[in-house]
Amino acid sequence: MTRGKPGTPRPGGGSGQAGAATGPAGAGHAPHSSALAVQAPFSTVNLWRLKKLSWVWLATAAVCITLLAVGAPLNMTLYRMVLPFGLGMAILHSASLGLTAARPAAGVLVSLVPMVIMPLVSDPHGAVPMPFSVVAMVTQVLVICVAGLRSHWMLAAGAWLASVGVGVSSNYLSLPGGQSEGAQINVVIFAAVSGGLMVSAVVAQQWQHLRAELAAERTLSAEEQSRRRLAEERTRIARELHDVVAHGMSVVVVQATTATYRHPGLTEDLKREFEDIADNSRRAMAEMRSMLGSLRNAEAGREMGPQPGLGDLPGLVASARTAGVAVAEPDLSGVEVGSVGEVIALTAYRIVQEALSNVIRHAPGATVHISLATTQDRLKVTVVNSPSALGSVMAQLDRGSHVGQGLIGMRERATIVGGAVTAVPTPGGGFSVVATLPLISINKARTGKIAT
């Protein structure tokens, strides 16, 4: 800095398959084993970020203390300020640097106060830098730089213009002996140095923003690529399932439909049984195509065609009877069908369907009772089957890695709509599946729409 002349002043459902049974298998099977929570490994990323943040604030505090320790004595010795002004202005100016790091706009405004007051209360002694001390100018340069790094460029530019304006004004209004050549040169040097560092700070901030935006774009691109690969894999799986399952089901439909022509001597009972087999196979193929369609397109909504509900339970029961299970007509006396939404009706239908499938697989010949009732705002679905001697033997033979998938599926369906499923053996040796579902699904309550 040029010296003046002497004397001038900154982040369920049904098991579907048998497992280890404690009794005869039925509507549900195998206890639902809870998955063990896997604890994520310790990561030091957040800890390292906290350490870096702590170091930044520690460095800021050290700079503020240093500026205070140097500025206060200079104010009282070379600039002959009285103690309240000399110490007070040094504290206020150094504190404004820390405040700028936390609240840029407030810090900039506070920093301008000492810049205006100090020339008015100083009585410089000897050839000292004017209109401000070197410590005051360094502090103000740091305030402008921190503002450029921490806020919008307009705030940093405003802080620079205001600081230079205060310096120019001090040359004309505050100096006891009028403006001097040294004081003018000091203001020019201050304006050049602070302006250059301000531009550098703004460029550094914009560079950081560009890096953050580029990282976000890369993350988004990686997620899009991952979703694309997932969609391709889902399509491949759907295609393979269709090729394998649809062919087999089509053969069953053709054989069952043409059985009466290929075997003219069939009795009426056998003809009806083949017709039931063909109908059930067609229904299974239609549902399979619907599920494969959803598998091909994860974001596709449900089909425009009607989904099964409580009114389709008699057809489901009739289908189960053809498989040798004695199923009584569902008891719907305690249900007001109009009060059950489409989502809940579909969920109840699927739970009953899975429970009957379990009876057919694990307790053939058992007697099944289905009842539905509404209590306040809940729908209770109960499927209970009697014991089956043949089912007990099958449960012991059919053990494998597929244990409990049907029960898991039931529970997942119920949980999605805010309900619950309980599957337990009955005291008489049978099995009971009880589902409790809300009359309004959680998804509908939150979004105002019905989604399946």
Side-chain angles (χ1 to χ4, degrees):
M1 293 293 179
T2 305
R3 296 182 177 273
K5 294 180 181 180
T8 59
R10 213 335 252 159
S15 75
Q17 303 295 341
T22 56
H29 193 69
H32 175 63
S33 57
S34 59
L36 296 177
V38 179
Q39 185 176 4
F42 175 74
S43 174
T44 59
V45 174
N46 292 333
L47 181 60
W48 176 244
R49 288 176 181 171
L50 289 175
K51 286 183 177 179
K52 290 196 297 184
L53 186 62
S54 298
W55 280 110
V56 168
W57 283 107
L58 182 60
T60 303
V63 171
C64 293
I65 293 172
T66 302
L67 293 172
L68 173 61
V70 177
L74 289 178
N75 289 342
M76 289 182 289
T77 55
L78 296 180
Y79 293 88
R80 292 190 291 191
M81 297 181 190
V82 295
L83 179 62
F85 283 106
L87 182 59
M89 292 300 101
I91 292 174
L92 188 61
H93 208 186
S94 59
S96 69
L97 177 59
L99 181 59
T100 305
R103 296 288 185 272
V108 168
L109 291 176
V110 171
S111 69
L112 295 175
V113 174
M115 297 286 287
V116 173
I117 295 177
M118 283 192 290
L120 298 175
V121 296
S122 62
D123 182 15
H125 174 68
V128 295
M130 292 299 295
F132 311 109
S133 66
V134 174
V135 176
M137 285 187 281
V138 168
T139 303
Q140 195 64 16
V141 167
L142 292 176
V143 168
I144 295 171
C145 290
V146 172
L149 291 172
R150 293 280 295 148
S151 65
H152 194 271
W153 67 268
M154 293 184 66
L155 179 63
W160 177 77
L161 288 174
S163 300
V164 174
V166 170
V168 172
S169 299
S170 298
N171 270 288
Y172 289 94
L173 303 176
S174 303
L175 297 181
Q179 60 177 329
S180 64
E181 182 181 358
Q184 293 178 32
I185 294 175
N186 285 343
V187 172
V188 171
I189 293 175
F190 169 76
V193 172
S194 60
L197 292 177
M198 182 267 295
V199 172
S200 299
V202 170
V203 170
Q205 184 204 49
Q206 295 301 318
W207 180 63
Q208 289 291 340
H209 286 172
L210 289 176
R211 286 187 59 189
E213 290 176 1
L214 180 59
E217 288 295 332
R218 286 177 177 173
T219 302
L220 183 60
S221 298
E223 291 176 355
E224 290 292 340
Q225 187 176 4
S226 177
R227 281 194 291 267
R228 190 180 303 111
R229 286 197 299 265
L230 178 60
E232 292 173 357
E233 183 66 15
R234 290 167 67 98
T235 302
R236 185 187 66 81
I237 294 172
R239 186 168 51 249
E240 291 181 359
L241 282 174
H242 183 272
D243 293 343
V244 174
V245 179
H247 173 72
M249 295 297 294
S250 298
V251 171
V252 172
V253 172
V254 171
Q255 288 178 337
T257 304
T258 61
T260 56
Y261 302 100
R262 291 183 291 104
H263 305 283
L266 294 178
T267 63
E268 291 298 324
D269 290 339
L270 287 177
K271 289 180 180 180
R272 282 194 298 271
E273 186 165 347
F274 277 117
E275 289 175 359
D276 291 337
I277 292 173
D279 291 339
N280 291 334
S281 300
R282 292 190 189 96
R283 188 182 303 109
M285 286 183 65
E287 292 189 1
M288 182 195 68
R289 289 193 183 98
S290 176
M291 289 186 292
L292 291 182
S294 298
L295 186 60
R296 287 191 181 99
N297 185 1
E299 297 182 0
R302 59 188 179 88
E303 291 185 349
M304 297 302 293
Q307 296 293 315
L310 300 183
D312 299 294
L313 287 178
L316 180 62
V317 168
S319 176
R321 290 195 187 109
T322 62
V325 177
V327 187
E329 286 297 324
D331 182 9
L332 302 176
S333 59
V335 178
E336 184 180 348
V337 179
S339 65
V340 180
E342 184 180 355
V343 177
I344 302 303
L346 176 60
T347 302
Y349 178 89
R350 294 302 186 194
I351 290 174
V352 173
Q353 183 181 44
E354 182 61 36
L356 290 176
S357 297
N358 287 338
V359 175
I360 294 171
R361 284 192 294 267
H362 309 308
T367 300
V368 182
H369 295 278
I370 303 172
S371 64
L372 291 87
T374 55
T375 56
Q376 295 181 349
D377 59 346
R378 313 290 287 185
L379 173 65
K380 184 177 181 181
V381 182
T382 305
V383 182
V384 181
N385 67 276
S386 63
S388 169
L390 180 57
S392 179
V393 174
M394 293 174 63
Q396 297 300 323
L397 295 177
D398 185 18
R399 295 187 179 186
S401 59
H402 51 264
V403 175
Q405 296 304 310
L407 285 175
I408 294 174
M410 284 189 192
R411 291 190 176 103
E412 288 178 347
R413 283 185 177 276
T415 301
I416 289 173
V417 297
V421 172
T422 303
V424 294
T426 61
F431 214 91
S432 171
V433 172
V434 179
T436 305
L437 308 173
L439 292 181
I440 299 178
S441 70
I442 295 300
N443 291 337
K444 179 180 176 183
R446 290 179 179 173
T447 65
K449 298 179 182 179
I450 297 179
T452 56

